[in-house]
Amino acid sequence: MNTTPHLTEPEETPEELEALLAAATSAAADWGQRSPHERADALSAVADALDTAGHDLIAEAMDETGLTEGRLTGELKRTTVQLRMFAEQLRDGSYLRIAVDRQDPDFVLGARPDLRRWLIPLGPVLVYAASNFPFAFSVAGGDTSSALAAGCPVLLKAHPGHAETSRKTAEVVESALRTAGAPEGTFALLTGRQAGVTALRDSRISAGAFTGSVAGGRTLFDIASSRPNPIPFFGELGSINPAVVSTDAERERGEQIAAGFVSSFTLGAGQFCTKPGILLLPRGSELPKRITELAQEVPPARMLTSAIAERYRERTAELAAAQGVEVLVHGTEHADPSGVPQVTPTVLHAGSVANLLSEPVLLEENFGPCAVIAEYDADEDLREVISAVPGTLTVTVHLAGQPDEAERQQVSDLVALATSRSGRVLFDEWPTGVAVTPAQQHGGPYPATTAGSTTSVGTAAIDRFLRPVTYQNAPEFLLPEALRESNPLGLPRSTHQPGTSQNWASPQ
Amino acid sequence: MNTTPHLTEPEETPEELEALLAAATSAAADWGQRSPHERADALSAVADALDTAGHDLIAEAMDETGLTEGRLTGELKRTTVQLRMFAEQLRDGSYLRIAVDRQDPDFVLGARPDLRRWLIPLGPVLVYAASNFPFAFSVAGGDTSSALAAGCPVLLKAHPGHAETSRKTAEVVESALRTAGAPEGTFALLTGRQAGVTALRDSRISAGAFTGSVAGGRTLFDIASSRPNPIPFFGELGSINPAVVSTDAERERGEQIAAGFVSSFTLGAGQFCTKPGILLLPRGSELPKRITELAQEVPPARMLTSAIAERYRERTAELAAAQGVEVLVHGTEHADPSGVPQVTPTVLHAGSVANLLSEPVLLEENFGPCAVIAEYDADEDLREVISAVPGTLTVTVHLAGQPDEAERQQVSDLVALATSRSGRVLFDEWPTGVAVTPAQQHGGPYPATTAGSTTSVGTAAIDRFLRPVTYQNAPEFLLPEALRESNPLGLPRSTHQPGTSQNWASPQ
């Protein structure tokens, strides 16, 4: 059985949606007040259950998305690893940033009361699943697991590109949570497109998280921001991910760079948010020729959905028709039994940086296996491109050899500029394949994300769903266990003793 | 010389505004890349300069605002202490949250590259000064000092209620920054009302910070959110700050509570964002009588501006006219040489909780020395009020004695509810007088703030103006000093070694 190209998003009735919102709201106080260890155990149980159901889930996802077993096996592993990483983070407890200011009668600005600050969950979170990660950014993906870890119930708007995989995964998640003792309503699936919008307008929803297109994400961001009570909306929208190759790098390992680039921009049929969309090569580079050869060898790969394929077809035609663009590799479309087309890569050459910059359409993400090459003459060209691209998740720089002092300064300036336009700057590697670890940053200035101060990958993703609350002069029995003087949960805390503030009072 | 009641906000010409924006943008890269120690020295220098200029600044502020010398002396001290606290935070360096993931060829999801994450400044910040704190939430106040500490240049929209104080303070700040070696454009004053709006729409501004009314703040938030590239807007708008008194607390220390309440809601003529606006007393309480007596003894106090006085007059009349409201103390207006009226407190009694809740206007902030009392019958009444009030900065609970188990559970439930509606829950004290310390939280759900995950008071305020960036596989010479393997700045970091991820791979 193959999926139909006509995706359906069965609408919940108003009564069904109301029941889901009410259940999430009712679960929020209970789930949010469980100890971090209790939530950790529940997340681990979800991970275990997904492992157990893995064979069936992967088979379903292969059928719906056309992705390979290897890719989906790795992605499911990433999903369960994420859940266990968040579980470990909960057990560690430092994510709560507990701070205790002890009473200080001699505080420099007058007697200071006992103050205890920690982070509490925001409340029910509405997560919109991504098209391109049926597991890792979908039902039990990074947004869901970080929100559940934070203590927020999750309403998950399924992506129609893998509806049945979503339904089956949701069953596993719900069942595992129930068995682990989580309250009803801690997690639920939404399928209706309109229901997903209506829910975002509901005052009981406290935050939104989204991975998808700029147009769709901006519409939802605008809804979240224009509510009577605006809420944070963590949207990851579009990213061009420019990559720069130095003359020395090409000389030292041109073949490796050409191969790495083709492999990265065609990975997953180019349907990754970190796909390097622009490659900046030194004037007269030999690499366009080699990239052309390698890209021509890439076999057809199925797009995720007919809608994505349709948009990719239009956008690629638009880029190819831009002023001064030469088509190095003309991607082709092939029929697939699923009805969703397969495509081969397209490589475009924009000529000079000046021409690249004169056609803004070339600086915007084209979701699929298409990349744009341009050739630079001087470092100033590179600075102009990095300044001109919209906010991006990543900037990649390929260097080599032992740069002299002048070269070091030039590339330092470029890197400083790159950090101002992106969330991750990487060297001599490629941006696809985002490591899930504490020091990861998957975010960036708009439109890379709508909330550049946050990440959607890595353990810091939990920060999005928490907010601080301070207890002042609270009797011990009214403090959450985590904040009590006796610290029965043994959580880490930073304590500020009295008598240390006098040096702020006057010139030192 | 007294200020005219007609406040002026002289508009910058478009050329002047452009020059200010260009200077701030040009300063951003330089100021943002200074070492934390260098910025700390500059902040300390600003604090020292404000101390030196204190006598003149306080005299000017007394003249413009009618606030007392004692109040303004304390407020200027708070301002310089804040600057020195942020300087200390910079020298400590933990605010950068530096995380280093070492390369791990055996990472559970495939080889992990070297990843180094820290926080960088957002870029130029537009700060709107508050009416009610001519020093501590104005030119050199908490928003400015936390943004400068983060490494962000500041454009400061002066409040016309203390225009000359602002101008003089800005001179001190600019001069001290220049002497300390900060780049031109690190700080500048804006006076024009329209210029303050135009600047918020400018793509070079990276964030806004605001303290003021719900109407004004929401207008600016909407502008920030609807830009082609939306930016964070940290607005502190309006807060009702409900306070609850238990039967036992009244019995144990009713007189003290009545005196504390009157002192708190009339402090600064009630023009504090943490003013307790609603007092919930047990049915049949004796306190309304005592509060009435005490409030009648409070001498007239000058409002901050004619515009605030006008709005307060209208709002108070509206509240007094609400269904079922009894006027216990009818505030009076008195002429002041400045032309801005003096007022005495108003105390309103809304009767039952049911009546309070039937008149939503009673649940909204009225900026000035007015408070609303209501009497509750059961704990359910209290839960209904706390659920019904808009998001608030604080909830205050007055308790006493040794509660039994059932009472403990009841008050625990109430406190849990209070944390879901506010940013600070305090016991047996009053919410005015906000301690400036690490564990402080001055924020809360909308409309208390537009960004409830942040605080505008205390050292955590710096978090608002930072965003993460990760360096992947960077050569040592391209890393910022703070992230280098050799750690030449000696900043704290959390390091994740290889070989610790295998336990995330499978059921434990």
Side-chain angles (χ1 to χ4, degrees), chain B residues 102-126:
Chain B
R102 291 197 193 286
Q103 196 174 17
D104 184 355
D106 301 320
F107 191 73
V108 59
L109 296 175
R112 177 178 77 183
D114 179 282
L115 293 164
R116 289 160 194 259
R117 187 183 205 258
W118 75 333
L119 303 179
I120 66 168
L122 292 183
V125 172
L126 181 57

PDB file of all heavy atoms in Angstrom, chain B residues 102-126:
ATOM      1  N   ARG B 102      33.265  18.228  23.616  1.00  0.00           N
ATOM      2  CA  ARG B 102      34.476  17.784  22.917  1.00  0.00           C
ATOM      3  C   ARG B 102      34.115  16.779  21.820  1.00  0.00           C
ATOM      4  O   ARG B 102      33.147  16.034  21.928  1.00  0.00           O
ATOM      5  CB  ARG B 102      35.450  17.152  23.896  1.00  0.00           C
ATOM      6  CG  ARG B 102      36.017  18.163  24.836  1.00  0.00           C
ATOM      7  CD  ARG B 102      37.248  17.668  25.537  1.00  0.00           C
ATOM      8  NE  ARG B 102      37.544  18.571  26.636  1.00  0.00           N
ATOM      9  CZ  ARG B 102      38.051  19.782  26.477  1.00  0.00           C
ATOM     10  NH1 ARG B 102      38.348  20.220  25.269  1.00  0.00           N
ATOM     11  NH2 ARG B 102      38.258  20.563  27.507  1.00  0.00           N
ATOM     12  N   GLN B 103      34.968  16.781  20.817  1.00  0.00           N
ATOM     13  CA  GLN B 103      34.822  15.839  19.713  1.00  0.00           C
ATOM     14  C   GLN B 103      34.661  14.427  20.283  1.00  0.00           C
ATOM     15  O   GLN B 103      35.348  14.057  21.233  1.00  0.00           O
ATOM     16  CB  GLN B 103      36.088  15.910  18.870  1.00  0.00           C
ATOM     17  CG  GLN B 103      35.934  15.304  17.514  1.00  0.00           C
ATOM     18  CD  GLN B 103      37.183  15.532  16.677  1.00  0.00           C
ATOM     19  OE1 GLN B 103      38.245  15.861  17.200  1.00  0.00           O
ATOM     20  NE2 GLN B 103      37.044  15.374  15.375  1.00  0.00           N
ATOM     21  N   ASP B 104      33.721  13.675  19.726  1.00  0.00           N
ATOM     22  CA  ASP B 104      33.448  12.340  20.262  1.00  0.00           C
ATOM     23  C   ASP B 104      33.169  11.392  19.102  1.00  0.00           C
ATOM     24  O   ASP B 104      32.037  11.306  18.615  1.00  0.00           O
ATOM     25  CB  ASP B 104      32.244  12.408  21.217  1.00  0.00           C
ATOM     26  CG  ASP B 104      31.971  11.074  21.885  1.00  0.00           C
ATOM     27  OD1 ASP B 104      32.651  10.079  21.539  1.00  0.00           O
ATOM     28  OD2 ASP B 104      31.080  11.012  22.748  1.00  0.00           O
ATOM     29  N   PRO B 105      34.190  10.663  18.665  1.00  0.00           N
ATOM     30  CA  PRO B 105      34.004   9.769  17.508  1.00  0.00           C
ATOM     31  C   PRO B 105      32.999   8.658  17.794  1.00  0.00           C
ATOM     32  O   PRO B 105      32.410   8.099  16.874  1.00  0.00           O
ATOM     33  CB  PRO B 105      35.404   9.200  17.262  1.00  0.00           C
ATOM     34  CG  PRO B 105      36.169   9.427  18.528  1.00  0.00           C
ATOM     35  CD  PRO B 105      35.571  10.618  19.193  1.00  0.00           C
ATOM     36  N   ASP B 106      32.793   8.367  19.086  1.00  0.00           N
ATOM     37  CA  ASP B 106      31.896   7.264  19.435  1.00  0.00           C
ATOM     38  C   ASP B 106      30.542   7.754  19.938  1.00  0.00           C
ATOM     39  O   ASP B 106      29.826   7.017  20.609  1.00  0.00           O
ATOM     40  CB  ASP B 106      32.563   6.391  20.517  1.00  0.00           C
ATOM     41  CG  ASP B 106      33.894   5.841  20.025  1.00  0.00           C
ATOM     42  OD1 ASP B 106      33.971   5.449  18.848  1.00  0.00           O
ATOM     43  OD2 ASP B 106      34.861   5.837  20.823  1.00  0.00           O
ATOM     44  N   PHE B 107      30.203   9.015  19.635  1.00  0.00           N
ATOM     45  CA  PHE B 107      28.918   9.524  20.113  1.00  0.00           C
ATOM     46  C   PHE B 107      27.807   8.636  19.590  1.00  0.00           C
ATOM     47  O   PHE B 107      27.860   8.140  18.456  1.00  0.00           O
ATOM     48  CB  PHE B 107      28.717  10.973  19.641  1.00  0.00           C
ATOM     49  CG  PHE B 107      27.559  11.651  20.294  1.00  0.00           C
ATOM     50  CD1 PHE B 107      27.629  12.045  21.619  1.00  0.00           C
ATOM     51  CD2 PHE B 107      26.382  11.880  19.599  1.00  0.00           C
ATOM     52  CE1 PHE B 107      26.553  12.677  22.238  1.00  0.00           C
ATOM     53  CE2 PHE B 107      25.300  12.506  20.203  1.00  0.00           C
ATOM     54  CZ  PHE B 107      25.388  12.907  21.528  1.00  0.00           C
ATOM     55  N   VAL B 108      26.792   8.455  20.419  1.00  0.00           N
ATOM     56  CA  VAL B 108      25.765   7.461  20.149  1.00  0.00           C
ATOM     57  C   VAL B 108      25.045   7.673  18.821  1.00  0.00           C
ATOM     58  O   VAL B 108      24.575   6.716  18.201  1.00  0.00           O
ATOM     59  CB  VAL B 108      24.780   7.414  21.338  1.00  0.00           C
ATOM     60  CG1 VAL B 108      24.131   8.770  21.546  1.00  0.00           C
ATOM     61  CG2 VAL B 108      23.727   6.350  21.144  1.00  0.00           C
ATOM     62  N   LEU B 109      24.971   8.918  18.356  1.00  0.00           N
ATOM     63  CA  LEU B 109      24.286   9.170  17.082  1.00  0.00           C
ATOM     64  C   LEU B 109      25.260   9.385  15.939  1.00  0.00           C
ATOM     65  O   LEU B 109      24.909   9.958  14.909  1.00  0.00           O
ATOM     66  CB  LEU B 109      23.364  10.382  17.219  1.00  0.00           C
ATOM     67  CG  LEU B 109      22.219  10.206  18.206  1.00  0.00           C
ATOM     68  CD1 LEU B 109      21.442  11.499  18.369  1.00  0.00           C
ATOM     69  CD2 LEU B 109      21.293   9.087  17.769  1.00  0.00           C
ATOM     70  N   GLY B 110      26.477   8.929  16.111  1.00  0.00           N
ATOM     71  CA  GLY B 110      27.496   9.170  15.085  1.00  0.00           C
ATOM     72  C   GLY B 110      28.468  10.218  15.581  1.00  0.00           C
ATOM     73  O   GLY B 110      28.152  10.995  16.482  1.00  0.00           O
ATOM     74  N   ALA B 111      29.644  10.229  14.968  1.00  0.00           N
ATOM     75  CA  ALA B 111      30.733  11.096  15.432  1.00  0.00           C
ATOM     76  C   ALA B 111      30.238  12.516  15.697  1.00  0.00           C
ATOM     77  O   ALA B 111      29.572  13.117  14.855  1.00  0.00           O
ATOM     78  CB  ALA B 111      31.859  11.117  14.406  1.00  0.00           C
ATOM     79  N   ARG B 112      30.583  13.022  16.877  1.00  0.00           N
ATOM     80  CA  ARG B 112      30.191  14.385  17.236  1.00  0.00           C
ATOM     81  C   ARG B 112      31.384  15.309  17.047  1.00  0.00           C
ATOM     82  O   ARG B 112      32.470  15.019  17.544  1.00  0.00           O
ATOM     83  CB  ARG B 112      29.732  14.424  18.697  1.00  0.00           C
ATOM     84  CG  ARG B 112      29.382  15.810  19.190  1.00  0.00           C
ATOM     85  CD  ARG B 112      28.882  15.789  20.622  1.00  0.00           C
ATOM     86  NE  ARG B 112      29.977  15.637  21.579  1.00  0.00           N
ATOM     87  CZ  ARG B 112      29.810  15.533  22.892  1.00  0.00           C
ATOM     88  NH1 ARG B 112      28.585  15.525  23.399  1.00  0.00           N
ATOM     89  NH2 ARG B 112      30.840  15.412  23.701  1.00  0.00           N
ATOM     90  N   PRO B 113      31.187  16.442  16.331  1.00  0.00           N
ATOM     91  CA  PRO B 113      32.300  17.383  16.176  1.00  0.00           C
ATOM     92  C   PRO B 113      32.525  18.159  17.474  1.00  0.00           C
ATOM     93  O   PRO B 113      31.703  18.117  18.389  1.00  0.00           O
ATOM     94  CB  PRO B 113      31.804  18.319  15.071  1.00  0.00           C
ATOM     95  CG  PRO B 113      30.319  18.288  15.191  1.00  0.00           C
ATOM     96  CD  PRO B 113      29.956  16.910  15.680  1.00  0.00           C
ATOM     97  N   ASP B 114      33.618  18.875  17.540  1.00  0.00           N
ATOM     98  CA  ASP B 114      33.853  19.825  18.626  1.00  0.00           C
ATOM     99  C   ASP B 114      32.851  20.974  18.484  1.00  0.00           C
ATOM    100  O   ASP B 114      32.780  21.617  17.432  1.00  0.00           O
ATOM    101  CB  ASP B 114      35.295  20.348  18.511  1.00  0.00           C
ATOM    102  CG  ASP B 114      35.640  21.372  19.573  1.00  0.00           C
ATOM    103  OD1 ASP B 114      35.234  22.547  19.433  1.00  0.00           O
ATOM    104  OD2 ASP B 114      36.328  20.993  20.532  1.00  0.00           O
ATOM    105  N   LEU B 115      32.052  21.194  19.533  1.00  0.00           N
ATOM    106  CA  LEU B 115      31.037  22.254  19.513  1.00  0.00           C
ATOM    107  C   LEU B 115      31.250  23.156  20.719  1.00  0.00           C
ATOM    108  O   LEU B 115      31.409  22.664  21.846  1.00  0.00           O
ATOM    109  CB  LEU B 115      29.631  21.654  19.565  1.00  0.00           C
ATOM    110  CG  LEU B 115      29.178  20.838  18.352  1.00  0.00           C
ATOM    111  CD1 LEU B 115      27.946  19.998  18.706  1.00  0.00           C
ATOM    112  CD2 LEU B 115      28.856  21.754  17.180  1.00  0.00           C
ATOM    113  N   ARG B 116      31.224  24.476  20.496  1.00  0.00           N
ATOM    114  CA  ARG B 116      31.420  25.433  21.586  1.00  0.00           C
ATOM    115  C   ARG B 116      30.333  26.493  21.502  1.00  0.00           C
ATOM    116  O   ARG B 116      30.231  27.201  20.511  1.00  0.00           O
ATOM    117  CB  ARG B 116      32.815  26.066  21.488  1.00  0.00           C
ATOM    118  CG  ARG B 116      33.906  25.070  21.840  1.00  0.00           C
ATOM    119  CD  ARG B 116      35.276  25.424  21.329  1.00  0.00           C
ATOM    120  NE  ARG B 116      36.133  24.251  21.441  1.00  0.00           N
ATOM    121  CZ  ARG B 116      37.036  24.072  22.416  1.00  0.00           C
ATOM    122  NH1 ARG B 116      37.241  25.017  23.305  1.00  0.00           N
ATOM    123  NH2 ARG B 116      37.736  22.957  22.484  1.00  0.00           N
ATOM    124  N   ARG B 117      29.570  26.568  22.562  1.00  0.00           N
ATOM    125  CA  ARG B 117      28.398  27.448  22.547  1.00  0.00           C
ATOM    126  C   ARG B 117      28.572  28.532  23.597  1.00  0.00           C
ATOM    127  O   ARG B 117      29.024  28.266  24.710  1.00  0.00           O
ATOM    128  CB  ARG B 117      27.174  26.599  22.904  1.00  0.00           C
ATOM    129  CG  ARG B 117      25.814  27.279  22.791  1.00  0.00           C
ATOM    130  CD  ARG B 117      24.751  26.287  23.262  1.00  0.00           C
ATOM    131  NE  ARG B 117      23.424  26.523  22.706  1.00  0.00           N
ATOM    132  CZ  ARG B 117      22.437  27.098  23.372  1.00  0.00           C
ATOM    133  NH1 ARG B 117      22.623  27.515  24.601  1.00  0.00           N
ATOM    134  NH2 ARG B 117      21.257  27.244  22.805  1.00  0.00           N
ATOM    135  N   TRP B 118      28.204  29.748  23.254  1.00  0.00           N
ATOM    136  CA  TRP B 118      28.117  30.815  24.241  1.00  0.00           C
ATOM    137  C   TRP B 118      27.049  31.786  23.800  1.00  0.00           C
ATOM    138  O   TRP B 118      26.365  31.540  22.806  1.00  0.00           O
ATOM    139  CB  TRP B 118      29.477  31.490  24.462  1.00  0.00           C
ATOM    140  CG  TRP B 118      29.947  32.418  23.377  1.00  0.00           C
ATOM    141  CD1 TRP B 118      29.623  32.365  22.050  1.00  0.00           C
ATOM    142  CD2 TRP B 118      30.826  33.527  23.527  1.00  0.00           C
ATOM    143  NE1 TRP B 118      30.270  33.360  21.375  1.00  0.00           N
ATOM    144  CE2 TRP B 118      31.006  34.097  22.254  1.00  0.00           C
ATOM    145  CE3 TRP B 118      31.488  34.090  24.610  1.00  0.00           C
ATOM    146  CZ2 TRP B 118      31.820  35.214  22.045  1.00  0.00           C
ATOM    147  CZ3 TRP B 118      32.298  35.197  24.393  1.00  0.00           C
ATOM    148  CH2 TRP B 118      32.449  35.745  23.129  1.00  0.00           C
ATOM    149  N   LEU B 119      26.907  32.854  24.544  1.00  0.00           N
ATOM    150  CA  LEU B 119      25.889  33.841  24.225  1.00  0.00           C
ATOM    151  C   LEU B 119      26.542  35.108  23.688  1.00  0.00           C
ATOM    152  O   LEU B 119      27.544  35.574  24.240  1.00  0.00           O
ATOM    153  CB  LEU B 119      25.055  34.159  25.471  1.00  0.00           C
ATOM    154  CG  LEU B 119      24.370  32.950  26.117  1.00  0.00           C
ATOM    155  CD1 LEU B 119      23.591  33.384  27.365  1.00  0.00           C
ATOM    156  CD2 LEU B 119      23.432  32.265  25.136  1.00  0.00           C
ATOM    157  N   ILE B 120      25.950  35.652  22.633  1.00  0.00           N
ATOM    158  CA  ILE B 120      26.457  36.909  22.067  1.00  0.00           C
ATOM    159  C   ILE B 120      25.351  37.967  22.158  1.00  0.00           C
ATOM    160  O   ILE B 120      24.168  37.642  22.274  1.00  0.00           O
ATOM    161  CB  ILE B 120      26.924  36.740  20.605  1.00  0.00           C
ATOM    162  CG1 ILE B 120      25.739  36.424  19.676  1.00  0.00           C
ATOM    163  CG2 ILE B 120      27.996  35.659  20.498  1.00  0.00           C
ATOM    164  CD1 ILE B 120      26.087  36.525  18.194  1.00  0.00           C
ATOM    165  N   PRO B 121      25.750  39.239  22.115  1.00  0.00           N
ATOM    166  CA  PRO B 121      24.739  40.309  22.197  1.00  0.00           C
ATOM    167  C   PRO B 121      23.850  40.345  20.971  1.00  0.00           C
ATOM    168  O   PRO B 121      24.275  40.010  19.860  1.00  0.00           O
ATOM    169  CB  PRO B 121      25.581  41.583  22.315  1.00  0.00           C
ATOM    170  CG  PRO B 121      26.967  41.213  21.911  1.00  0.00           C
ATOM    171  CD  PRO B 121      27.121  39.739  22.125  1.00  0.00           C
ATOM    172  N   LEU B 122      22.596  40.790  21.173  1.00  0.00           N
ATOM    173  CA  LEU B 122      21.635  40.849  20.072  1.00  0.00           C
ATOM    174  C   LEU B 122      21.966  41.936  19.067  1.00  0.00           C
ATOM    175  O   LEU B 122      21.667  41.802  17.883  1.00  0.00           O
ATOM    176  CB  LEU B 122      20.232  41.135  20.612  1.00  0.00           C
ATOM    177  CG  LEU B 122      19.556  40.062  21.454  1.00  0.00           C
ATOM    178  CD1 LEU B 122      18.150  40.519  21.836  1.00  0.00           C
ATOM    179  CD2 LEU B 122      19.488  38.746  20.685  1.00  0.00           C
ATOM    180  N   GLY B 123      22.535  43.022  19.539  1.00  0.00           N
ATOM    181  CA  GLY B 123      22.722  44.205  18.689  1.00  0.00           C
ATOM    182  C   GLY B 123      22.054  45.405  19.347  1.00  0.00           C
ATOM    183  O   GLY B 123      21.626  45.321  20.504  1.00  0.00           O
ATOM    184  N   PRO B 124      21.943  46.536  18.626  1.00  0.00           N
ATOM    185  CA  PRO B 124      21.398  47.750  19.241  1.00  0.00           C
ATOM    186  C   PRO B 124      20.000  47.544  19.835  1.00  0.00           C
ATOM    187  O   PRO B 124      19.134  46.945  19.211  1.00  0.00           O
ATOM    188  CB  PRO B 124      21.350  48.741  18.064  1.00  0.00           C
ATOM    189  CG  PRO B 124      22.424  48.274  17.130  1.00  0.00           C
ATOM    190  CD  PRO B 124      22.405  46.769  17.242  1.00  0.00           C
ATOM    191  N   VAL B 125      19.821  48.034  21.060  1.00  0.00           N
ATOM    192  CA  VAL B 125      18.557  47.889  21.787  1.00  0.00           C
ATOM    193  C   VAL B 125      17.933  49.266  21.987  1.00  0.00           C
ATOM    194  O   VAL B 125      18.626  50.230  22.317  1.00  0.00           O
ATOM    195  CB  VAL B 125      18.797  47.216  23.161  1.00  0.00           C
ATOM    196  CG1 VAL B 125      17.524  47.234  24.002  1.00  0.00           C
ATOM    197  CG2 VAL B 125      19.294  45.792  22.970  1.00  0.00           C
ATOM    198  N   LEU B 126      16.634  49.325  21.770  1.00  0.00           N
ATOM    199  CA  LEU B 126      15.880  50.558  21.989  1.00  0.00           C
ATOM    200  C   LEU B 126      15.166  50.437  23.332  1.00  0.00           C
ATOM    201  O   LEU B 126      14.331  49.554  23.507  1.00  0.00           O
ATOM    202  CB  LEU B 126      14.880  50.728  20.837  1.00  0.00           C
ATOM    203  CG  LEU B 126      13.989  51.950  20.821  1.00  0.00           C
ATOM    204  CD1 LEU B 126      14.795  53.241  20.834  1.00  0.00           C
ATOM    205  CD2 LEU B 126      13.086  51.914  19.583  1.00  0.00           C
TER     206      LEU B 126
END
